Amino acid sequence: MKNRFLAAAAALATAVALSACSHLPGYGDDTRTVTVWLMKDSASNGFLKRFTESFEDEHPDIELDIRIQEWTGIGDRIDAVLKGEETADVIEVGNTQVARYAENRTLTDLTLESIRDWGSKDWLPGLSDPGSVNGAQYGIPWYAANRVVIYNKDLFARAGIVQPPRTRAQWLEDTAKLDKGDTQGIYLAGQNWYVLSGFIWDEGGDLAEERGGEWAGALHTPAALKGMDFYKKLHALGEGPAEADEETPPQTDVFARGDVAQIIAPPGSARIIEEANPGLKGKLGFFPVPGKTAAKPGAVFTGGSDLVIPESTRHRDAAIEVIEALAGEKWQTELARTMSYVPNKTTLAHVIAGTESTAAMAAGAAEGRATPKSGRWAQVEAHNPIKPYMTAVLTGGEPEQAARTASSTISSVLAP
């Protein structure tokens, strides 16, 4: 994105100088072009323009070639890069995808830089943990987004609720107060497994566990069953369908009708709600998913992206410079404020503290987690056995039996 006219003029001047000097040793173009793959809509065009211009000014020997990619089919394209069939030096990947690429030893180990230079101890665990495989850091946290509770302030006031709840017990009590007459206390679809994951993690359980180097489903453990029990209690305080997820129908459309007190969704969903029902503009509030105690919010699934460097890159040092800038305080602050993201470090939460929605998200992100670090987890999600398990429990099925069935399926998929 440099001024191409000036670049062309400089190139012409260099050519003339070389000719006059009869190609004396030491002359030549030492600029390295670093190809960066970023996903569509992860960052605005304005942000990318500002970053590129600033980075290239500070690194005159590096030119950035930022290429925007679609999420659809990106796995195959990244595989092509890792096989040497395509070229990219820095790639944005979903935080839960790092294990898939790292297991084949095709990513650059950035453990040393992470600890020595980048302050990895302060990274959000929901981004840094899935980026670490077998003790080595391959994925560098870039940005995070997670779910919060979006609520209708008018309905809360009408029910006499002055402050948002901070504990699970208070949340259930308040939601029961809201769930009266034509008002749903909460709209929680029966198959929202991302939300269930947080409740399971709060109890000390997990979706799957690694035992002796092999992964096995863990939905049938006592801790995981407690998480599902809480989900069932909360689900009962509204009319969310037991056999559908949050997109069937879109929960934002349901909330926009004005008779739902709460949903659990990323803060950006508020914009969709207000577009569907302008009458709700200014009437939406946000709070972190409550935890078991008021000491900290509940655990939440952290979505977001990490940055990786293919082992095949020919510009390792320059690629590291790019990641250092994108993941550093200056551009983390800029990205968070531009895109309403949570920055990659808990110590940077203050940069979005002035906005209720993103402040709630940042508070929850400190307790963020991600899916199991198996390279085969994407195959679990493709035919997700967690969803029918949830429906079975919500429609009267025996929880442990249904959980064991789902755990068995997860174990089979994750088996090498």
Side-chain angles (χ1 to χ4, degrees):
M1 296 185 186
K2 290 179 176 178
N3 188 307
R4 302 302 178 193
F5 176 79
L6 291 177
L12 178 60
T14 300
V16 172
L18 285 173
S19 176
C21 297
S22 300
H23 302 282
L24 291 174
Y27 285 87
D29 184 4
D30 293 329
T31 300
R32 296 163 290 172
T33 298
V34 176
T35 301
V36 182
W37 283 14
L38 300 180
M39 303 310 299
K40 183 180 179 182
D41 297 329
S42 286
S44 67
N45 291 334
F47 172 88
L48 295 178
K49 183 175 185 294
R50 293 190 298 275
F51 173 76
T52 301
E53 290 175 347
S54 175
F55 183 87
E56 290 183 342
D57 283 345
E58 295 173 4
H59 302 81
D61 60 331
I62 301 175
E63 184 170 291
L64 298 184
D65 178 14
I66 296 180
R67 303 182 184 182
I68 303 303
Q69 308 293 326
E70 298 281 348
W71 282 107
T72 302
I74 190 59
D76 291 339
R77 293 207 62 198
I78 294 176
D79 286 340
V81 172
L82 301 181
K83 293 175 183 176
E85 298 168 359
E86 286 203 60
T87 300
D89 302 297
V90 175
I91 303 175
E92 174 192 350
V93 300
N95 60 322
T96 61
Q97 297 173 337
V98 178
R100 168 185 170 182
Y101 306 120
E103 284 185 351
N104 295 324
R105 301 180 183 276
T106 50
L107 297 180
T108 298
D109 183 347
L110 299 170
T111 307
L112 175 61
E113 291 82 2
S114 299
I115 297 172
R116 183 189 63 195
D117 305 324
W118 298 339
S120 58
K121 64 181 177 61
D122 295 322
W123 282 340
L124 295 177
L127 292 181
S128 62
D129 288 354
S132 174
V133 179
N134 297 325
Q137 194 74 41
Y138 297 100
I140 305 306
W142 191 28
Y143 69 83
N146 51 265
R147 288 161 180 78
V148 300
V149 183
I150 302 176
Y151 69 99
N152 185 315
K153 292 181 178 180
D154 283 353
L155 296 182
F156 266 56
R158 194 179 305 166
I161 301 171
V162 179
Q163 296 290 336
R166 295 183 60 196
T167 67
R168 277 194 192 180
Q170 188 63 53
W171 194 17
L172 286 177
E173 185 178 325
D174 287 349
T175 304
K177 290 179 183 178
L178 292 158
D179 193 42
K180 304 290 184 182
D182 295 330
T183 299
Q184 294 186 56
I186 189 169
Y187 181 86
L188 180 60
Q191 296 182 347
N192 195 330
W193 70 278
Y194 292 112
V195 172
L196 171 64
S197 298
F199 298 158
I200 290 175
W201 292 328
D202 267 348
E203 296 292 350
D206 212 333
L207 307 176
E209 297 173 345
E210 190 176 16
R211 303 166 187 162
E214 295 185 2
W215 286 93
L219 292 173
H220 62 287
T221 62
L225 289 170
K226 286 182 181 179
M228 184 65 223
D229 183 63
F230 180 78
Y231 191 101
K232 184 176 182 180
K233 291 175 181 176
L234 192 62
H235 174 268
L237 300 174
E239 299 174 11
E243 64 288 336
D245 63 22
E246 65 274 20
E247 294 300 323
T248 315
Q251 62 176 345
T252 50
D253 290 353
V254 178
F255 189 90
R257 297 191 315 233
D259 59 354
V260 172
Q262 308 168 83
I263 58 171
I264 305 170
S269 297
R271 182 175 62 255
I272 300 172
I273 293 167
E274 290 172 351
E275 289 173 354
N277 183 356
L280 288 176
K281 193 166 186 178
K283 297 182 179 181
L284 303 182
F286 309 84
F287 60 89
V289 172
K292 295 185 71 174
T293 71
K296 62 181 181 180
V300 290
F301 173 80
T302 300
S305 289
D306 283 9
L307 299 170
V308 300
I309 299 176
E311 186 67 35
S312 59
T313 180
R314 294 184 298 171
H315 304 298
R316 183 184 188 277
D317 291 346
I320 287 175
E321 293 281 357
V322 174
I323 287 184
E324 182 167 308
L326 284 171
E329 181 174 350
K330 174 183 176 180
W331 292 103
Q332 279 293 297
T333 299
E334 177 83 2
L335 183 67
R337 290 174 175 170
T338 299
M339 303 300 296
S340 296
Y341 290 147
V342 178
N344 63 4
K345 288 184 175 180
T346 56
T347 51
L348 293 177
H350 65 277
V351 306
I352 53 174
T355 305
E356 181 185 4
S357 59
T358 48
M361 187 166 61
E367 304 302 323
R369 296 275 296 274
T371 51
K373 290 190 289 186
S374 165
R376 300 175 65 87
W377 184 258
Q379 294 172 251
V380 173
E381 293 188 25
H383 305 285
N384 200 324
I386 305 173
K387 290 185 174 184
Y389 153 62
M390 297 173 71
T391 296
V393 174
L394 295 176
T395 53
E398 202 285 312
E400 185 173 350
Q401 181 179 340
R404 286 190 178 278
T405 299
S407 288
S408 178
T409 301
I410 291 173
S411 298
S412 298
V413 175
L414 297 182

